[in-house]
């Protein structure tokens, strides 16, 4: 009988928590999902064993990682051993490595998020669900790996002549030239941002195909368009960049941001909900989703559709609250939830508690020296919500030097406008709040 090609499986063992809403039984994942799929693909599975002395990977492990024709790595839980083994595999083999992760069990770390990984679902008991569908998907991946000539190792993809590369003088010079090229482009973009959208577009035209450019340059270009509110350019550009980079959380979030600002809230909502479903909750993703619902509330309010407006206001508050609960250190979704709760019902019993947590979070961040525009904007909104004119003017003075992009003070002004509009028509607080709004818009 002909020998079947070996497939080495890198994954955690036993029952582990992955940061999601339920633990995962990785032994069941292997026996009920991965192993049957490997065998159906015509391969022989070998699972990484636990015979390690003091956590040191032994010689047979290295041999399997380097010599096995195929490998599967389950990235769920960001297990240290799995990631080390995956690094060894990617350094040794240009192709035939398939990546997996359990849906809804925390984000993939930044370094591997752009890599193409297959999601699978977990049931309430921690074992795999939709097993037939999952097995079929993995079989397809493995069969494609057997035929595919494309490289799946980032090292082999990104570095020419790897692993034959030598640390010769000419190679280091090439590397220095590439770094200098990227820095030169970034300097051009810094200058272009001050001149406006057309100047940024001129820089883009000077580039070749966007999917051939260094990732840092692409992200800088993408966010440069954001800085001048060039939403259509962000949307256009998103479709032109490399698929792997397009799959990153940062790019998908900012794409949704641009879609919503450009008037396509439905697609923005779809992108964000899919991201939450695939990568789990985060303060940024839920914060952007809250903005989608807040804009819908504002539009319905302007059309005097009271019931519809009330529904969207509730959805916006809940999205922002979920964002703040995902990461208490990020005050941005917290202050948005708090502001909208004041608008919806100033007597809401949750306001006092939420305010205390938001205020503590932002003050700790500022004390740690990591503050940005949004942190100072949060303190301004807190002062306005507290109807403290003196503190509000003081926070405005602190805020204005931190403005980076033209849309930032516009967003803060709009939030303060919601607060002002919710006050009685004869309230004296409306006068000084309006003055602050005007100064924000002028900045």
């Amino acid at each position: 009988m002909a020998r079947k090609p070996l497939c080495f499986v890198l994954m955690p063992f036993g029952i582990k928590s992955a940061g999601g809403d339920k633990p995962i039984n990785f032994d069941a994942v292997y026996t009920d999902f991965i192993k049957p799929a490997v065998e159906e693909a015509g391969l022989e599975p070998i699972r990484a064993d636990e015979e390690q002395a003091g956590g040191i990977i032994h010689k047979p492990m290295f041999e399997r990682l380097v010599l096995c024709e195929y490998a599967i790595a389950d990235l769920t839980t960001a297990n240290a051993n799995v990631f080390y083994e995956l690094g060894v595999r990617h350094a040794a083999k240009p192709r035939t490595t398939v990546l997996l992760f359990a849906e809804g069990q925390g984000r993939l770390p930044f370094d591997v998020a752009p890599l193409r990984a297959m999601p699978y679902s977990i049931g309430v008991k921690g074992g795999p669900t939709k097993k037939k569908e999952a097995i079929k998907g993995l079989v397809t991946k493995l069969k494609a790996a057997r035929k595919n000539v494309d490289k799946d190792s980032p090292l082999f993809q990104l570095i020419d002549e790897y692993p034959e590369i030598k640390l010769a003088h000419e190679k280091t010079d090439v590397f220095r030239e590439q770094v200098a090229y990227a820095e030169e482009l970034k300097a051009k973009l810094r200058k272009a941002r001050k001149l406006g959208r057309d100047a940024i577009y001129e820089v883009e035209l000077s580039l070749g195909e966007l999917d051939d450019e260094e990732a840092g340059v692409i992200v800088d270009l993408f966010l440069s368009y954001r800085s001048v509110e060039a939403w259509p350019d962000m949307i256009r550009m998103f479709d032109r960049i490399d698929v792997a980079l397009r799959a990153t959380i940062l790019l998908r979030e900012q794409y949704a941001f641009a879609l919503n600002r450009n008037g396509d809230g439905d697609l923005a909502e779809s992108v964000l909900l899919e991201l939450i479903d695939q990568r789990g909750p985060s303060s940024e993703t839920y914060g952007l989703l809250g903005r989608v619902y807040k804009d819908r509330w504002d539009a319905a309010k302007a059309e005097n559709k009271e019931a519809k407006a009330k529904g969207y206001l509730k959805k916006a508050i809940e999205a922002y609250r979920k964002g703040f609960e995902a990461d208490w250190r990020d005050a941005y979704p917290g202050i948005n939830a708090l502001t909208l709760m004041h608008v919806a019902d100033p007597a809401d019993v949750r306001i006092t508690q939420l305010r205390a947590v938001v205020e503590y979070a932002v003050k700790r961040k500022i004390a740690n020296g990591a503050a940005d525009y949004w942190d100072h904007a949060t303190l301004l909104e807190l002062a306005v919500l507290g109807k403290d004119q003196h503190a509000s003017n003081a926070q405005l003075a602190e805020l204005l030097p931190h403005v980076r992009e033209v849309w930032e003070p516009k967003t803060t002004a709009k939030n303060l406008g919601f607060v002002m509009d919710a006050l009685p028509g004869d309230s004296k607080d409306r006068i000084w709040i309006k003055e602050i709004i005007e100064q924000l818009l002028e900045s």
Side-chain angles (χ1 to χ4, degrees):
M1 182 180 293
R3 182 188 68 83
K4 293 182 179 179
L6 296 176
C7 181
F8 192 37
V9 181
L10 324 173
M11 65 184 300
F13 298 87
I15 299 175
K16 301 281 193 305
S17 173
D21 56 359
K22 48 186 171 286
I24 300 179
N25 186 335
F26 284 101
D27 293 337
V29 169
Y30 177 71
T31 56
D32 298 344
F33 161 42
I34 296 177
K35 184 178 180 182
V38 171
E39 291 173 341
E40 188 173 327
L43 309 175
E44 182 179 343
I46 300 178
R47 189 182 184 191
D49 58 52
E50 296 178 288
E51 296 173 4
Q52 298 177 11
I56 303 300
I57 297 180
H58 50 66
K59 184 174 179 288
M61 178 76 79
F62 280 110
E63 290 174 346
R64 292 168 182 169
L65 287 169
V66 172
L67 300 177
C68 270
E69 291 96 328
Y70 300 89
I72 293 172
D74 190 333
L75 307 180
T76 315
T77 75
N79 181 275
N81 284 337
V82 171
F83 273 70
Y84 182 88
E85 293 157 8
L86 177 62
V88 172
R89 176 73 181 184
H90 275 163
K93 289 284 189 181
R95 53 184 62 85
T96 66
T97 302
V98 175
L99 307 182
L100 307 173
F101 69 94
E103 290 182 301
Q105 301 298 315
R107 291 186 174 201
L108 292 178
F110 177 81
D111 288 342
V112 296
L115 302 180
R116 296 180 182 89
M118 173 186 159
Y120 63 89
S121 56
I122 293 296
V124 293
K125 294 183 179 180
T129 61
K130 303 177 184 176
K131 285 182 277 191
K132 288 185 178 179
E133 179 183 331
I135 290 172
K136 181 179 178 182
L138 183 51
V139 168
T140 300
K141 282 266 189 185
L142 290 168
K143 287 183 175 179
R146 296 185 73 169
K147 299 177 182 178
N148 201 354
V149 296
D150 294 335
K151 301 169 183 176
D152 54 49
S153 163
L155 279 171
F156 284 88
Q157 287 174 343
L158 299 176
I159 303 177
D160 292 336
E161 301 175 31
Y162 179 86
E164 291 82 16
I165 186 170
K166 304 291 190 296
L167 295 179
H169 175 71
E170 62 270 18
K171 276 295 180 185
T172 56
D173 281 350
V174 169
F175 179 72
R176 285 172 181 154
E177 288 172 7
Q178 290 173 338
V179 171
Y181 170 68
E183 286 303 318
E184 181 183 357
L185 273 176
K186 290 180 180 181
K188 287 182 179 179
L189 284 170
R190 281 194 294 271
K191 182 178 179 181
R193 285 195 289 271
K194 298 177 181 179
L195 299 174
R197 180 266 170 192
D198 290 346
I200 297 171
Y201 186 58
E202 285 296 321
V203 176
E204 181 184 347
L205 290 178
S206 71
L207 305 176
E209 292 295 324
L210 292 186
D211 57 4
D212 291 333
E213 284 297 332
E214 190 255 335
V217 171
I218 296 301
V219 173
D220 202 10
L221 175 63
F222 194 65
L223 298 182
S224 292
Y225 278 128
R226 185 189 72 171
S227 72
V228 296
E229 302 180 284
W231 318 125
D233 287 295
M234 292 179 69
I235 295 166
R236 169 187 56 78
M237 184 180 163
F238 184 80
D239 292 328
R240 292 184 57 206
I241 61 180
D242 179 73
V243 173
L245 186 59
R246 202 161 64 218
T248 62
I249 293 171
L250 170 65
L251 269 293
R252 290 166 72 185
E253 286 175 337
Q254 293 306 310
Y255 173 58
F257 175 85
L259 286 169
N260 186 56
R261 291 300 182 99
N262 201 50
D264 195 347
D266 289 343
L267 183 53
E269 178 187 24
S270 176
V271 171
L272 294 167
L273 288 174
E274 181 180 40
L275 191 53
I276 291 168
D277 182 58
Q278 292 177 348
R279 296 291 189 263
S282 79
S283 59
E284 179 72 9
T285 311
Y286 264 118
L288 292 169
L289 185 61
R291 177 59 192 256
V292 171
Y293 297 140
K294 182 168 68 173
D295 286 346
R296 290 180 183 173
W297 159 67
D298 195 30
K301 184 161 60 79
E303 296 171 0
N304 294 315
K305 297 179 179 178
E306 293 185 11
K308 191 174 183 180
K310 186 177 180 180
Y312 280 127
L313 179 57
K314 182 178 180 181
K315 291 192 74 170
I317 291 171
E318 289 309 303
Y320 282 127
R321 287 186 69 242
K322 286 180 179 179
F324 190 45
E325 288 169 0
D327 187 350
W328 301 100
R329 299 166 299 178
D330 186 356
Y332 175 78
I335 188 60
N336 275 278
L338 193 60
T339 297
L340 295 184
M341 287 163 69
H342 271 273
V343 172
D345 179 11
D348 190 327
V349 295
R350 300 173 298 174
I351 287 177
T352 301
Q353 184 180 33
L354 181 59
R355 180 189 175 94
V357 180
V358 170
E359 189 168 5
Y360 177 79
V362 70
K363 286 184 175 180
R364 288 309 309 154
K365 188 175 179 185
I366 291 175
N368 290 335
D372 61 14
Y373 170 86
W374 296 112
D375 299 305
H376 292 283
T378 295
L379 290 180
L380 172 58
E381 285 192 47
L382 286 170
V384 171
L385 290 173
K387 299 179 182 179
D388 188 333
Q389 182 179 358
H390 176 74
S392 296
N393 285 322
Q395 292 300 337
L396 178 65
E398 288 284 334
L399 168 73
L400 293 179
H402 289 87
V403 174
R404 301 159 299 186
E405 301 182 2
V406 293
W407 56 272
E408 291 176 331
K410 289 181 182 179
T411 299
T412 304
K414 192 168 187 176
N415 277 2
L416 297 185
F418 294 145
V419 177
M420 184 180 71
D421 292 342
L423 295 172
D426 59 351
S427 171
K428 294 181 179 179
D429 292 315
R430 295 174 68 96
I431 299 173
W432 61 265
I433 294 175
K434 184 178 180 181
E435 292 174 352
I436 288 178
I437 291 171
E438 289 172 350
Q439 291 184 67
L440 284 166
L441 294 175
E442 288 171 3
S443 70

